[in-house]
């Protein structure tokens, strides 16, 4: 579905090579602080950010994402090779692609995730930010900008989903829920770019995360999923605008002028995303009381 949608607009065609692999459910990537109020020195400090004497710079969510994504090494590539239909991800180690990439078994990947909790923690922190702007512009941004954002969000979602499974397996439901909740923040950030590509990515994240909620609840032992967990996830769901999930309607109003075919395709994706949110909320309501 993502593939067909992305082929069908000018912006989507530019990013087609990125979105071929962006299906999330099948495995196989600001301002300055106040300056000192003391009298100015004879020679002004170097205004370059990070230079001695310069005021501290607060990184935007987009800058933090970029810094984190660029720091990932080969360990994160294993996120491409798991199936998320079960609470504990099932790793693909048999396909040709998995063999070529030497994809690890689940126990090995789980240990890798345990050793990279600093990166996971940064993802959790960034996802809590209310706003995120990568300054992507369909007619001005180079293709590699779309590539880095699309692949970055895809990998980040899959890593958090896998780490949620690791937490669940260890009996850490708090950690599991925190990671699933964070994925809705990332979906909101993707949608805030107001571009077809990123809105489709956000929509896929929402659908996948709603599925994850159902999986973790249904496969957890009695009493493991508590009202506090349900409330945390319900609050996360509210990051997504129910009237226009991931801004798809707003994008359709712009894009349909150049591609009328989108008028039939986008509403299907929007409705599926909205239905996933409704189903997840109904399920969570049973536990939140």
């Amino acid at each position: 579905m993502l593939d067909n949608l992305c082929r069908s607009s000018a912006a989507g065609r530019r990013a087609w090579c990125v979105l071929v692999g962006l299906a999330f459910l099948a495995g196989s990537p600001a301002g300055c602080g106040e300056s000192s109020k003391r009298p100015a020195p004879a020679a002004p400090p170097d205004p370059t950010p990070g230079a001695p004497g310069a005021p501290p710079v607060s990184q935007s969510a987009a800058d933090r994402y970029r810094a984190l994504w660029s720091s990932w090494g080969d360990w994160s590539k294993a996120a491409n090779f798991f199936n998320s239909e079960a609470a504990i991800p099932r790793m693909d180690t048999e396909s040709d692609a998995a063999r070529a990439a030497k994809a690890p078994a689940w126990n090995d990947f789980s240990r890798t995730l345990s050793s990279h909790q600093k990166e996971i923690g940064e993802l959790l922190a960034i996802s809590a930010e209310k706003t995120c702007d990568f300054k992507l512009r369909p007619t001005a941004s180079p293709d590699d900008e779309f590539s880095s954002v699309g692949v970055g969000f895809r990998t980040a979602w899959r890593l958090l989903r896998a780490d949620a499974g690791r937490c669940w397996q260890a009996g850490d439901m708090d950690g599991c829920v925190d990671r699933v909740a964070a994925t809705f923040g990332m979906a909101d950030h993707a949608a805030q770019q107001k571009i077809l590509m990123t809105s489709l990515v956000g929509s896929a994240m929402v659908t996948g995360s709603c599925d994850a909620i159902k999986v973790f609840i249904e496969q957890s032992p009695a009493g493991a999923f508590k009202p506090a967990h349900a409330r945390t996830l319900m609050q996360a769901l509210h990051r997504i605008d129910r009237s226009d999930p991931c801004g798809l309607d707003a994008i359709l109003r712009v894009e349909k002028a150049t591609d009328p075919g989108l008028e039939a395709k986008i509403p299907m994706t929007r409705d599926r995303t909205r239905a996933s949110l409704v189903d997840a909320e109904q399920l969570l309501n049973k536990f939140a009381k």
Side-chain angles (χ1 to χ4, degrees):
M1 185 62 176
L2 273 177
D3 294 354
N4 292 335
L5 284 166
C6 294
R7 288 180 189 268
S8 57
S9 74
R13 283 193 294 274
R14 293 183 65 208
W16 166 239
C17 62
V18 182
L19 289 182
V20 169
L22 285 182
F24 283 75
L25 305 185
S28 282
C32 298
E34 288 188 339
S35 59
S36 172
K37 298 185 182 301
R38 297 177 182 177
D46 187 342
T48 303
V57 175
S58 176
Q59 280 191 309
S60 69
D63 287 341
R64 292 174 69 185
Y65 275 127
R66 285 193 174 104
L68 182 61
W69 295 341
S70 66
S71 73
W72 285 344
D74 289 343
W75 71 274
S76 66
K77 296 178 181 178
N80 295 319
F81 298 101
F82 74 79
N83 183 301
S84 59
E85 293 178 357
I88 301 173
R90 298 191 181 102
M91 299 297 293
D92 168 20
T93 58
E94 300 300 325
S95 69
D96 291 343
R99 289 177 183 274
K102 298 181 180 179
W106 167 250
N107 287 341
D108 294 328
F109 187 36
S110 178
R111 284 191 289 271
T112 298
L113 289 168
S114 294
S115 67
H116 286 278
Q117 287 304 293
K118 180 179 179 180
E119 291 92 332
I120 296 295
E122 175 67 354
L123 271 180
L124 297 179
I126 302 172
S127 71
E129 296 285 343
K130 296 302 181 185
T131 60
C132 179
D133 184 4
F134 283 93
K135 295 179 170 47
L136 297 177
R137 303 294 179 262
T139 59
S141 299
D143 288 345
D144 58 1
E145 284 286 331
F146 293 95
S147 299
S148 63
V149 173
V151 173
F153 272 126
R154 177 187 190 272
T155 304
W157 184 92
R158 294 183 67 80
L159 285 173
L160 283 183
R161 171 60 182 87
D163 204 50
R166 180 192 65 81
C167 292
W168 185 91
Q169 186 177 33
D172 178 12
M173 186 60 77
D174 290 350
C176 174
V177 166
D178 286 345
R179 283 149 181 76
V180 175
T183 62
F184 289 98
M186 290 199 307
D188 178 35
H189 288 165
Q192 287 181 32
Q193 310 317 306
K194 296 181 173 57
I195 289 175
L196 177 61
M197 180 197 78
T198 52
S199 285
L200 290 172
V201 170
S203 177
M205 283 196 277
V206 169
T207 302
S209 298
C210 288
D211 289 344
I213 290 174
K214 180 179 179 182
V215 165
F216 284 125
I217 289 177
E218 290 183 347
Q219 297 183 18
S220 293
F225 190 81
K226 303 181 184 304
H229 298 138
R231 289 191 292 270
T232 294
L233 289 170
M234 288 185 70
Q235 184 176 7
L237 290 180
H238 292 157
R239 289 284 299 266
I240 309 302
D241 181 3
R242 201 67 52 88
S243 64
D244 183 14
C246 299
L248 290 171
D249 280 341
I251 288 172
L252 175 61
R253 288 192 289 272
V254 175
E255 294 278 358
K256 70 180 181 181
T258 56
D259 192 340
L262 285 177
E263 201 154 10
K265 299 170 185 175
I266 290 289
M268 289 192 303
T269 302
R270 176 205 62 209
D271 292 346
R272 184 169 58 248
T273 306
R274 183 182 293 146
S276 294
L277 288 165
V278 170
D279 289 346
E281 188 168 37
Q282 289 176 346
L283 179 59
L284 292 170
N285 271 327
K286 297 177 181 179
F287 293 87
K289 299 176 182 178

